[in-house]
Amino acid sequence: MKCIINRKAQFSASHRYWLPELSEAENWQRFDVCTRTPGHGHNYVLFVSMAGELDEYGMVLNLSDVKHVIKKEVTSQLDFSYLNDAWPEFQQTLPTTENIARVIWHRLADHLPLIRIQLFEHPQLWADYLGNGMEAYLTIATHFSAAHRLARPDLSYEDNCEIYGKCARPNGHGHNYHLEVTVKGEIDPRTGMIVELVALQKAIEDHVVEPFDHTFLNKDIPYFAEVVPTAENIAAHIANLLKQPIRDMGAQLHKVKLIESPNNSCEIYAADLEPADASNQKNESVLMPV
């Protein structure tokens, strides 16, 4: 029987984003405060995912052995280090979150049956690397607060209550929405980035957080005048808003995850998106409990 196992590890390190071939102004435009010398630090959280058949002892691998491999090959070398100088791989390609994940994969690949490296730089920024050349995934997490009412305008109040329950009450209710936007693309061999982080953060802020935050979605966002602002429809609309701006940056939108409450979340994959249409109530989505 095949099984996937995961091992968590941690290390603390500093890094700096700076390309000597660029001017100071150009570095600041690309990397913003991450250009400051002598650098800044993070408490990195690493998840190593492996797959294999269960052995006679009921294990894919002895996790004690896995722990020692990760420590020897990765964390003992990176912990309390300045990443730009820690490994030769970071001399040519900056130690961005996605590039660190890629390099860790290659450091461990000869020792463990890897299927994924996931590296959290902090709780709002992480990368996934699956061993596909220079392709990687980068996720930014953010939040906004908004109210909504779940009710179709073509149905009676009684019918809406039958479908949506308390969420159909006429004055609406609110949530602190947690939003995760995942992009995928090729890691630039010089900058180490899938997409310029500053530009991606600005796109999410300009297209989603600023217009959605502290609104009554049904009344303040024109799209939801006719489309019921369920978590699924909100996530699909966000994905449609971000798809082209992210493409213009040279990357692809991969997934939007919207957490409405501790009990409810949904995920929209960009590959499943239909063309944006305010009259279209059908969106490919998965509603998942957290």
Side-chain angles (χ1 to χ4, degrees), residues 137 139 178-183 223-224 230-243 246 252-259 265-275 280-288:
Y137 299 79
T139 301
H178 175 87
L179 173 65
E180 297 174 5
V181 177
T182 301
V183 302
Y223 180 79
F224 294 118
T230 60
E232 299 96 317
N233 278 334
I234 298 169
H237 185 47
I238 290 172
N240 274 314
L241 290 172
L242 292 176
K243 194 171 183 180
I246 290 171
Q252 299 177 55
L253 176 65
H254 175 63
K255 181 179 74 172
V256 167
K257 180 175 181 179
L258 187 67
I259 301 175
S265 70
C266 66
E267 299 180 16
I268 296 287
Y269 287 83
D272 295 331
L273 284 175
E274 297 175 358
N280 182 13
Q281 295 280 336
K282 294 176 65 178
N283 288 297
E284 295 292 332
S285 66
V286 181
L287 189 64
M288 304 177 65

Side-chain angles (χ1 to χ4, degrees), residues 214-225:
H214 285 75
T215 64
F216 194 111
L217 294 171
N218 308 62
K219 298 179 180 295
D220 296 324
I221 304 298
Y223 180 79
F224 294 118

Side-chain angles (χ1 to χ4, degrees), residues 102-258:
R102 181 186 70 89
V103 174
I104 287 174
W105 172 291
H106 291 293
R107 291 272 176 154
L108 293 175
D110 290 340
H111 307 280
L112 300 171
L114 302 176
I115 61 168
R116 183 179 71 169
I117 293 293
Q118 185 176 63
L119 183 67
F120 283 77
E121 186 172 282
H122 54 71
Q124 286 76 48
L125 180 67
W126 65 93
D128 292 87
Y129 182 75
L130 307 181
N132 300 324
M134 295 295 281
E135 184 183 83
Y137 299 79
L138 186 70
T139 301
I140 288 180
T142 185
H143 68 276
F144 60 91
S145 299
H148 66 165
R149 180 190 180 218
L150 304 187
R152 283 178 49 163
D154 59 323
L155 298 179
S156 69
Y157 177 67
E158 291 73 21
D159 287 342
N160 275 310
C161 287
E162 182 69 23
I163 297 168
Y164 299 111
K166 293 187 291 185
C167 296
R169 289 176 177 174
N171 292 320
H173 62 281
H175 297 285
N176 294 315
Y177 290 95
H178 175 87
L179 173 65
E180 297 174 5
V181 177
T182 301
V183 302
K184 73 173 182 177
E186 297 286 314
I187 296 174
D188 184 279
R190 189 67 180 108
T191 66
M193 294 182 169
I194 295 171
V195 63
E196 290 190 9
L197 186 58
V198 173
L200 179 58
Q201 290 170 325
K202 187 176 188 302
I204 296 170
E205 179 71 23
D206 291 350
H207 291 281
V208 181
V209 176
E210 179 58 31
F212 281 40
D213 192 37
H214 285 75
T215 64
F216 194 111
L217 294 171
N218 308 62
K219 298 179 180 295
D220 296 324
I221 304 298
Y223 180 79
F224 294 118
E226 299 296 331
V227 176
V228 181
T230 60
E232 299 96 317
N233 278 334
I234 298 169
H237 185 47
I238 290 172
N240 274 314
L241 290 172
L242 292 176
K243 194 171 183 180
Q244 188 58 50
I246 290 171
R247 184 182 292 127
D248 292 342
M249 297 175 201
Q252 299 177 55
L253 176 65
H254 175 63
K255 181 179 74 172
V256 167
K257 180 175 181 179
L258 187 67

